[in-house]
Amino acid sequence: MMSQKRGFERRDVLRAGGLVLGGSLVSGSTTAAEGSSTAADTTLTVLSYNDIQTAAAEDKTFPRLVTLIEQRRAAADGPVVVVGGGDQVGPHALGPLSQWRCPVDVLNLVGSDADVIGNHEFDYGLDAITDAESGGGVTNDSQFPWLATNLVDADTGEAFAGTESFEVVARGGVRVGLIGLIDEGATYGKTNIDFEAEGLRVEDYTETGPAEAARLRAEEDVDVVVALAHTGVPDAEALAEADTDDAIDVVVAGDDEIVYPPAETSGTVVTEGEARANYLGELHLHVDTDAGAVTGFEGDLLPVTEEIPKDPDASAIIDDYRGEAKLDTVIAETETPLDARFATNYHRESTYGNLVTDAMRERTGADVAITNAGGIRSNAVYGPGQITGGDVFNTLPFANTLVTVELTGEELVETLASQVITLESDTGQAFGEEISQQVSGVRFEWVPHEGVDEQVRDVRVGGEPVDPEATYDVAVNSFIADGGSGYPLADKPRIAETDVLLATAVVEYLDARGTVAPTVEGRMQRVDRDLTDASVTVDGNGKVVAQFDTPDDVESVATDTVAVWSPDGERVAAEHAVFDAEEETLVVRVDDAPLAETVADAADGEDLPLDLYAEYESSEFDHVYFERSRLNADVTATVRERGRAAGAPTGR
């Protein structure tokens, strides 16, 4: 039940860090002016973290976060509560081996007052949330409660087994009510669990949250309500706006992993501390305990830096688990950077994606390999330099195994197209157009716009055009084989199922080579607009010149991006390119010699397909992620033997 579909992990930073001073709030039925105080004022400090994920298996930021929590708890002038925003126990490098145990053991040192069940708490399946029979499970092993206020038993309306609907903490004369909320996107959207079939109901967090907060004020006599919302900041703000009675004072968000220092929305403070134990949220609430109201706040996100010492007990826990898994063994060296960043792997071909899918294809002998972008984690770049087993498990932290399915050519195209996110979609407007996967053994163009005939086109397998009627062996991970991330594969024939972890396959692939140097090869080419086609002659003796009519939206062409690609991924940069805005033409000149090298195996007189790509400024497309739009032209190259008179190349 691996939760690998992207929530908002790669969202750009919304706000710069910095101390937020002198905020005023409306809490309960009491409104207080900025900076006001009463004799009953108490300063309550809320310390928060979220989305620890891959940091859970590294002796880096996580032990420092434990230390920072203790430091800030000791420095507080009044009572302190410590809370989490979910996604703490996965994914991480130890997940396939020790599952939730390492992060839970470390979190038990923190003395958290509560956390919220996030989508990655389901990484080990629904039963692993609480496993009473074996005495284990995420919640049974935790010495603090996990909240699921709006994910309830469909029959009873109560929080599902192993979780609580709320928690009340009485400390220093202040009663704090804690609730835990999750949205549809972090349940059905990011797991393969059928919650309805499991007898669970996901209630609308914007309704259940305010209602439960109001109940806590009325029935539990709380002074402050803190909602732990694994929803992301935009939905956390929607929760604040839906709370018309101002029953919720604070929303500690998780899921979209952005830097969002405490800020007021509709009388509620919303905050989120990115992810991977990089920040600790610190919020000081001025509480009038006579009125049961928050009268003001200050807050900040505190960075977890190398100057903060590691908690020795936390480090020992992590190192013991890593030692058992042999994660610190060097297995290979890479001569090129391995890019495991979210932004890269969702938007374009990556060096690490190529390495992973090449390993999948070699291990299975499949024609094609595909893996989902959300299955590649850590949001980091590795190398050039040594690569350890822990690096691989950190980037591939799910217990995914290799599965080979049989697809027709038509089904393969449909599968590839299922991951295209258009620029015009809501997701595209937030994050830019996306291809959302990495591949091996297949090359194609993708058109990220609504209303086009084909969003995936010019598909080639093994260098040959895909045959819609033929069948192909396609290696995938078990998550997407089951239909995860929207892949249409759940009902497809399975040729082979293995118990080989994807991470293990990559480790063994690296270990067998010792040194690797993956590059970007043009496996997935983005195209926004088409140029006219062209025909040229290639003999290696001169220059190839072609002229193209350009679409109306072309304002300028980035001439240094103009290049010709062969079907097997060889790239030849244009020697010269000139765009004429008045004539709406693009003239491209390519040195014939390197172009001839890319088609060296072709016979005399043979026609070969080439593709020309160029980036341009568009008067129509306003990109979010990419810097420029992209043009494509199909170029038919007629091959002539070197030394023969070839005649003049032809354009258009």
Side-chain angles (χ1 to χ4, degrees):
M1 306 298 180
M2 302 300 129
S3 313
Q4 299 157 63
K5 187 172 179 183
R6 192 245 314 115
F8 297 96
E9 300 103 316
R10 296 157 298 100
R11 189 184 183 104
D12 291 334
V13 172
L14 292 184
R15 291 166 42 84
L19 189 63
V20 179
L21 297 171
S24 62
L25 294 171
V26 178
S27 178
S29 59
T30 302
T31 303
E34 183 175 321
S36 66
S37 63
T38 70
D41 257 4
T42 299
T43 299
L44 171 71
T45 298
V46 179
L47 301 178
S48 61
Y49 50 86
N50 59 278
D51 298 272
I52 288 173
Q53 297 193 2
T54 53
E58 297 180 308
D59 186 20
K60 296 178 180 178
T61 57
F62 199 11
R64 299 184 199 280
L65 176 68
V66 175
T67 296
L68 185 58
I69 289 172
E70 288 309 306
Q71 289 176 345
R72 301 316 300 163
R73 180 186 270 130
D77 183 19
V80 178
V81 294
V82 181
V83 294
D87 274 9
Q88 319 296 8
V89 304
H92 58 82
L94 291 164
L97 306 171
S98 62
Q99 300 178 311
W100 62 85
R101 294 175 179 84
C102 179
V104 165
D105 287 352
V106 176
L107 286 172
N108 284 337
L109 298 175
V110 169
S112 177
D113 291 293
D115 213 314
V116 58
I117 292 288
N119 52 285
H120 284 301
E121 271 65 58
F122 293 106
D123 279 0
Y124 315 106
L126 179 60
D127 291 341
I129 296 294
T130 176
D131 187 0
E133 292 185 6
S134 67
V138 174
T139 59
N140 281 348
D141 285 348
S142 301
Q143 296 171 7
F144 53 90
W146 290 85
L147 307 180
T149 307
N150 68 317
L151 181 58
V152 300
D153 185 297
D155 293 330
T156 66
E158 300 295 326
F160 72 95
T163 65
E164 303 293 337
S165 292
F166 68 95
E167 177 77 1
V168 175
V169 177
R171 194 161 292 151
V174 179
R175 290 178 59 81
V176 183
L178 305 174
I179 59 177
L181 304 171
I182 195 167
D183 61 9
E184 286 273 358
T187 47
Y188 282 99
K190 297 181 186 174
T191 77
N192 278 347
I193 297 172
D194 187 337
F195 289 94
E196 184 177 2
E198 297 287 350
L200 302 182
R201 181 175 70 247
V202 183
E203 298 177 341
D204 187 335
Y205 69 98
T206 63
E207 296 177 0
T208 299
E212 180 64 6
R215 189 195 68 79
L216 290 175
R217 290 188 178 280
E219 299 180 12
E220 301 290 339
D221 195 29
V222 301
D223 303 297
V224 178
V225 175
V226 177
L228 314 179
H230 197 73
T231 61
V233 167
D235 286 348
E237 292 175 331
L239 171 64
E241 291 166 359
D243 181 26
T244 55
D245 292 333
D246 295 312
I248 300 173
D249 297 294
V250 178
V251 180
V252 171
D255 188 51
D256 54 356
E257 303 182 16
I258 64 175
V259 177
Y260 197 86
E264 187 175 338
T265 296
S266 298
T268 299
V269 181
V270 177
T271 187
E272 182 177 2
E274 198 185 53
R276 295 169 290 280
N278 288 332
Y279 290 92
L280 175 68
E282 183 174 64
L283 179 63
H284 303 294
L285 301 176
H286 303 297
V287 183
D288 182 344
T289 53
D290 287 342
V294 175
T295 61
F297 73 97
E298 304 92 48
D300 199 4
L301 293 179
L302 309 180
V304 178
T305 66
E306 293 186 357
E307 285 69 36
I308 299 169
K310 298 176 184 177
D311 180 272
D313 293 332
S315 291
I317 290 170
I318 295 170
D319 288 341
D320 285 349
Y321 278 105
R322 289 183 66 88
E324 292 176 14
K326 299 180 179 179
L327 294 185
D328 296 315
T329 300
V330 175
I331 56 173
E333 184 164 331
T334 178
E335 296 177 347
T336 56
L338 302 181
D339 192 343
R341 290 175 296 181
F342 290 124
T344 304
N345 284 282
Y346 272 95
H347 289 95
R348 61 178 82 209
E349 175 190 353
S350 76
T351 53
Y352 192 57
N354 286 354
L355 185 146
V356 170
T357 50
D358 286 351
M360 294 170 66
R361 193 157 62 94
E362 179 180 277
R363 183 62 178 255
T364 60
D367 302 305
V368 174
I370 305 171
T371 197
N372 57 315
I376 298 175
R377 313 301 286 201
S378 90
N379 200 30
V381 177
Y382 297 81
Q386 294 181 334
I387 302 298
T388 67
D391 293 333
V392 176
F393 274 89
N394 208 39
T395 56
L396 302 172
F398 300 102
N400 286 330
T401 55
L402 294 178
V403 177
T404 304
V405 297
E406 183 181 77
L407 302 178
T408 66
E410 182 179 5
E411 290 171 334
L412 174 59
V413 174
E414 177 190 4
T415 298
L416 296 171
S418 71
Q419 300 306 296
V420 175
I421 301 297
T422 64
L423 176 62
E424 295 79 13
S425 67
D426 289 343
T427 300
Q429 287 296 293
F431 307 109
E433 57 267 58
E434 298 176 343
I435 188 57
S436 308
Q437 61 196 331
Q438 299 294 317
V439 300
S440 176
V442 63
R443 298 178 185 276
F444 59 91
E445 294 175 348
W446 58 288
V447 185
H449 298 291
E450 305 289 348
V452 299
D453 293 334
E454 298 175 295
Q455 289 192 312
V456 165
R457 66 186 196 183
D458 290 353
V459 180
R460 290 179 169 271
V461 177
E464 296 297 324
V466 68
D467 182 345
E469 304 300 325
T471 57
Y472 300 89
D473 295 350
V474 181
V476 297
N477 67 58
S478 51
F479 174 74
I480 65 176
D482 291 334
S485 287
Y487 280 92
L489 299 176
D491 61 347
K492 298 300 184 284
R494 299 193 178 194
I495 297 172
E497 297 185 59
T498 74
D499 59 359
V500 177
L501 290 171
L502 175 55
T504 299
V506 174
V507 166
E508 293 177 354
Y509 178 88
L510 288 167
D511 188 50
R513 282 158 178 76
T515 302
V516 294
T519 59
V520 172
E521 304 172 356
R523 299 181 183 186
M524 303 183 295
Q525 299 275 18
R526 175 176 60 97
V527 174
D528 293 287
R529 291 286 191 210
D530 290 316
L531 295 165
T532 50
D533 296 341
S535 298
V536 299
T537 298
V538 175
D539 65 3
N541 288 326
K543 308 294 182 184
V544 170
V545 179
Q547 177 175 307
F548 306 92
D549 292 335
T550 57
D552 292 340
D553 70 316
V554 178
E555 294 183 326
S556 65
V557 175
T559 54
D560 61 338
T561 68
V562 181
V564 175
W565 291 75
S566 71
D568 59 359
E570 294 292 329
R571 178 185 184 276
V572 178
E575 190 177 60
H576 191 59
V578 177
F579 169 63
D580 189 319
E582 185 174 338
E583 295 295 328
E584 294 187 333
T585 59
L586 175 66
V587 178
V588 177
R589 186 179 75 212
V590 181
D591 189 337
D592 200 5
L595 195 61
E597 291 297 322
T598 70
V599 294
D601 295 333
D604 184 33
E606 184 177 355
D607 289 341
L608 290 178
L610 300 174
D611 279 290
L612 181 141
Y613 299 100
E615 295 184 10
Y616 73 102
E617 295 294 338
S618 170
S619 61
E620 180 175 350
F621 301 128
D622 185 12
H623 295 282
V624 177
Y625 171 81
F626 293 102
E627 183 179 354
R628 291 180 287 259
S629 299
R630 207 154 183 258
L631 295 165
N632 165 244
D634 292 334
V635 180
T636 301
T638 301
V639 179
R640 297 300 181 194
E641 291 182 4
R642 291 174 184 252
R644 287 185 52 180
T650 58
R652 296 283 306 275

